[in-house]
Amino acid sequence: MDTIRQTNRSILFEEINPEKLDLITIVGDVKGIDSLSDEKIKEINEHLLVKNFDEFLEKFSPSVYSFYNAANQNVVYTLEKPENLSDECISEIKLNQDNDFLKMLFTLIDAKRSQGIKNVDFKFEKVLDMISPKKIIEDIKQVRKEVHYLYNKYEELEEEDPKKLELGDKLNYKFEEASQNYNNVMAMLPLAIEDIKTRLLFGKTQDGDEAEAIQIGMLTMGDNGELKILEAPKSDSTDLMVMNEEGNNSLVGVFEEDYDAITESKSDYVKDLVVRTFCPLPAVQSEIDIEREVQNYNTYLEFYKKAKDDFVKTAKPLVEKILGIKMFFNQYDTKNKGMQPTLIITNSKLDMTVKNNNVPRLETYLNTVNAKNDFNDTIWFGIVPAIEMESVGQVKTRRQRFRGNQQSTNKEGNTIESLTALLEVIKKYKVQTFFNFQANEDTTFNNMATAGIDKYMEKCEMLTRQDYSEFTIPCMPNFTIIPKDKSGLVIDSKMLQTNEGVKLSQEKEDILKLWIEGVYVDAAYIAAGIVASYQCPEYLKESFKNINREYPGVRFDIESGENNLKVVTTMAKEISGFTNNIKDSINRRNFGFVFSSENAQLDGKDIKRITVYKARSLALTEDGFDSIYKTLVSTYIERILRFQTNDFKQDNIVKFFSSNPNSQKSKWINSKQSENSIIQDGDDLNYVIDDESNLCYIDLVFNGNVKNLEVTITKSTSAAK
């Protein structure tokens, strides 16, 4: 670990935010140069390197842009900032920890993990409800409670009291949170929807009956002791009534002043809405235009449902990338942090990265970080999600007999041609690349449990028997966050005005429902995440007693023994398992990086997480496909050898492999007992120097299987024999 301090930096070939810088742009013109400067690498790291999920959100600020189309009265959402519109017309919706859609998905993932429930039994609708207007209001109520609590504390203290100033800072932050929505009509819609419901359905029963007429009264005793509720005297004022508390009255003024100061296009209705939301009224207005309010409610609700529907469809591809990156970092689930996984994000589409004029830029970057004896910035793993399984498009029908999916084409992904172009480049730099086919209902655990792995093998056939095959790792199946058939969310019901009052409609056609159409995470993120995690000795120490802190986890074979039950993913089980026929097929072919959702126990405890079943590349051997750890060990030994022999000097190579107790080979052999030993029982390390060809042939023996490594030696003036 003194020589190579990290063996888990990964590079993600994906675009997150086109408004941010990307690798190709920062590298720039490389004509006539072989390596980038240290300053340039530092700049790349400043913009594109992330060490955790929060840093990713901060650096890349993934966003959806929206604007209003007056021609059709719709909200338009796009992942790219419109270039022909002024900034005043565009709203930027940041997909961060505060976004209700992402918050809902994070909660769902955590709930599934903690419960360990299969998809078929999990109550998705309970969590999906988080993005309905009533749940958004619950979050606002919590903010409101905190504002009132802080404000009351603030008012109690003297002006110059340091505690008062601290509370002032906290109040400023809370008001900033609230005020961000003043100019955002879309953000105010859930408030307006729930506000009208509260005022019009004040006496609504739990069974959904009509709201009864409300007259605020007070409890009294009659002359004979009988209980009576008499109508309270009405105020002559038609202004909005607020609680008769000095603090609450003060807050009303603060919110009104804040709204007027910040808002560009003022609206009395919105201002009253803000006040009612954060400073609730003890009574409804004395005069309500019920017909207008019902009409407003139904209009708001339909507009909100349509806008939310369009937003989800636009944002979902980006949201799935965000979830993938979060799951990559989530795999490093350890209390004691050591060699933490890090991620370089190219922030450009794969086909743009591998364009003929851009390839030299990528090569120069990799040559700088992977072809030097400084390993701090070395890239060990690559992630390429969403390779197209089938060609985009579908069979056209002559006439539409039944209503089908509106989308006439599949979601566009990365092509296998772009992947092969990338692999041709990065094989020279020994970057083991995890990739997966597009995440949808056809590449899930459910699908693999019935269809097996044949379609994956057929699609990967062209990637086998290539120079880059050992660096190519197909990952399957993909992970289901929300199944397509369980992704329906009831927004609310339309309101009806009757002779008896108003009520929410129970008719099926009046219940507004939004379909998310499934949310999935690409398997490559989790595969790269778990492998990057177990490179860290501190991570392995959580599951194994005999870990050598001097060595990374390059030799750790997750398929060996019970290793896959000790080192598990953070993802909850999805199905009850694969059939014996499917498992026999996977075992017989030893193909790919395969995840498993099997029933299993370790030391009497149920395993409730997804585990790794196979960890193979596309390099063919006599027994199927080769284990990924063999390539990783080979790369590690070559880099250590280059460093310790001063670029493969012959006399230093001899010392490296000698039987001297201080040689590197001897040190490795003497620490065989560790789970993460570079050389383990059944392994061996030998070499032969061919003076004629000036090559050193190294045989790495793993449990009887030989892997060959070849390096060009540097002749010294007095070569040792």
Side-chain angles (χ1 to χ4, degrees), residues 73-90:
Q73 297 293 299
N74 282 337
V75 191
V76 180
Y77 295 98
T78 174
L79 294 179
E80 293 192 15
K81 189 174 182 180
E83 295 181 352
N84 55 346
L85 297 178
S86 64
D87 288 345
E88 292 76 25
C89 299
I90 302 169

Side-chain angles (χ1 to χ4, degrees), residues 366-418:
L366 290 174
N367 197 49
T368 307
V369 296
N370 276 34
K372 288 182 176 180
N373 287 341
D374 181 344
F375 306 103
N376 289 333
D377 294 305
T378 300
I379 305 288
W380 294 81
F381 306 118
I383 303 172
V384 181
I387 301 295
E388 292 172 359
M389 176 66 83
E390 306 293 343
S391 56
V392 175
Q394 64 181 31
V395 179
K396 292 183 179 179
T397 54
R398 284 179 295 176
R399 62 185 292 264
Q400 192 174 26
R401 296 158 181 83
F402 305 96
R403 189 183 174 193
N405 288 318
Q406 291 182 349
Q407 295 172 324
S408 58
T409 58
N410 296 324
K411 186 175 71 176
E412 186 178 342
N414 295 315
T415 64
I416 199 105
E417 290 77 17
S418 293

Side-chain angles (χ1 to χ4, degrees), residues 626-666:
D626 215 2
S627 298
I628 65 170
Y629 79 85
K630 295 180 182 178
T631 298
L632 191 52
V633 172
S634 173
T635 302
Y636 178 78
I637 289 177
E638 181 182 345
R639 286 173 178 164
I640 287 282
L641 183 64
R642 177 186 285 275
F643 180 85
Q644 294 195 1
T645 61
N646 200 5
D647 294 330
F648 308 126
K649 284 186 178 177
Q650 184 173 345
D651 51 348
N652 291 338
I653 290 176
V654 174
K655 291 177 185 176
F656 187 95
F657 290 104
S658 77
S659 56
N660 186 308
N662 293 320
S663 75
Q664 185 61 67
K665 179 181 175 180
S666 296

Side-chain angles (χ1 to χ4, degrees), residues 9 12 76 86-87 164 179 207 228 243 252 406 427 462 520 618-619 675 718:
R9 179 161 295 178
L12 170 62
V76 180
S86 64
D87 288 345
K164 182 162 189 166
S179 66
D207 298 327
K228 289 183 180 180
M243 292 179 183
V252 168
Q406 291 182 349
K427 70 183 179 186
M462 66 184 292
Y520 307 91
L618 289 178
E675 288 287 342
S718 56

Side-chain angles (χ1 to χ4, degrees), residues 222-496:
D223 295 335
N224 298 318
E226 72 275 19
L227 287 177
K228 289 183 180 180
I229 298 179
L230 300 179
E231 184 180 352
K234 291 181 180 178
S235 167
D236 294 333
S237 172
T238 58
D239 294 336
L240 290 176
M241 295 171 62
V242 296
M243 292 179 183
N244 189 23
E245 294 178 8
E246 187 178 338
N248 206 67
N249 277 320
S250 299
L251 262 180
V252 168
V254 174
F255 272 104
E256 287 179 336
E257 188 274 330
D258 195 46
Y259 176 85
D260 288 333
I262 289 175
T263 309
E264 296 154 9
S265 302
K266 296 180 179 60
S267 160
D268 288 340
Y269 180 85
V270 175
K271 181 159 77 171
D272 291 345
L273 183 59
V274 169
V275 171
R276 282 200 300 270
T277 301
F278 288 97
C279 303
L281 307 172
V284 295
Q285 285 175 279
S286 55
E287 295 294 332
I288 298 178
D289 186 339
I290 293 178
E291 183 178 354
R292 190 193 69 189
E293 293 280 22
V294 169
Q295 185 180 351
N296 282 349
Y297 174 87
N298 290 333
T299 302
Y300 295 163
L301 196 62
E302 287 190 18
F303 191 88
Y304 179 79
K305 187 264 178 188
K306 173 72 167 61
K308 202 72 175 176
D309 199 23
D310 292 343
F311 170 78
V312 166
K313 283 181 172 55
T314 302
K316 197 173 71 165
L318 178 55
V319 164
E320 288 174 331
K321 295 177 191 178
I322 294 169
L323 288 177
I325 292 168
K326 183 173 175 60
M327 293 306 103
F328 169 85
F329 285 112
N330 272 16
Q331 302 318 304
Y332 190 64
D333 188 15
T334 179
K335 297 171 188 171
N336 301 311
K337 304 297 182 186
M339 187 203 299
Q340 290 183 256
T342 54
L343 189 64
I344 286 278
I345 301 174
T346 61
N347 200 35
S348 59
K349 293 177 181 176
L350 180 62
D351 57 357
M352 175 63 73
T353 303
V354 298
K355 275 189 176 179
N356 190 50
N357 56 325
N358 289 334
V359 162
R361 301 185 183 196
L362 176 62
E363 283 191 292
T364 305
Y365 170 69
L366 290 174
N367 197 49
T368 307
V369 296
N370 276 34
K372 288 182 176 180
N373 287 341
D374 181 344
F375 306 103
N376 289 333
D377 294 305
T378 300
I379 305 288
W380 294 81
F381 306 118
I383 303 172
V384 181
I387 301 295
E388 292 172 359
M389 176 66 83
E390 306 293 343
S391 56
V392 175
Q394 64 181 31
V395 179
K396 292 183 179 179
T397 54
R398 284 179 295 176
R399 62 185 292 264
Q400 192 174 26
R401 296 158 181 83
F402 305 96
R403 189 183 174 193
N405 288 318
Q406 291 182 349
Q407 295 172 324
S408 58
T409 58
N410 296 324
K411 186 175 71 176
E412 186 178 342
N414 295 315
T415 64
I416 199 105
E417 290 77 17
S418 293
L419 175 63
T420 54
L422 176 70
L423 294 170
E424 284 288 354
V425 174
I426 62 179
K427 70 183 179 186
K428 293 177 283 188
Y429 305 101
K430 302 185 183 296
V431 178
Q432 289 178 265
T433 302
F434 298 85
F435 77 94
N436 63 270
F437 294 101
Q438 280 181 307
N440 52 43
E441 65 271 21
D442 296 326
T443 55
T444 59
F445 281 89
N446 262 330
N447 185 274
M448 184 179 280
T450 55
I453 61 171
D454 287 351
K455 64 182 178 184
Y456 300 99
M457 293 190 69
E458 289 171 14
K459 198 70 178 174
C460 290
E461 177 64 30
M462 66 184 292
L463 302 175
T464 60
R465 300 178 183 83
Q466 305 288 342
D467 291 342
Y468 51 68
S469 295
E470 68 171 309
F471 301 104
T472 310
I473 307 167
C475 307
M476 69 212 70
N478 293 315
F479 292 76
T480 303
I481 305 303
I482 304 174
K484 187 174 183 179
D485 59 349
K486 292 190 174 185
S487 63
L489 157 70
V490 174
I491 296 292
D492 217 323
S493 298
K494 287 185 178 179
M495 195 178 284
L496 300 177

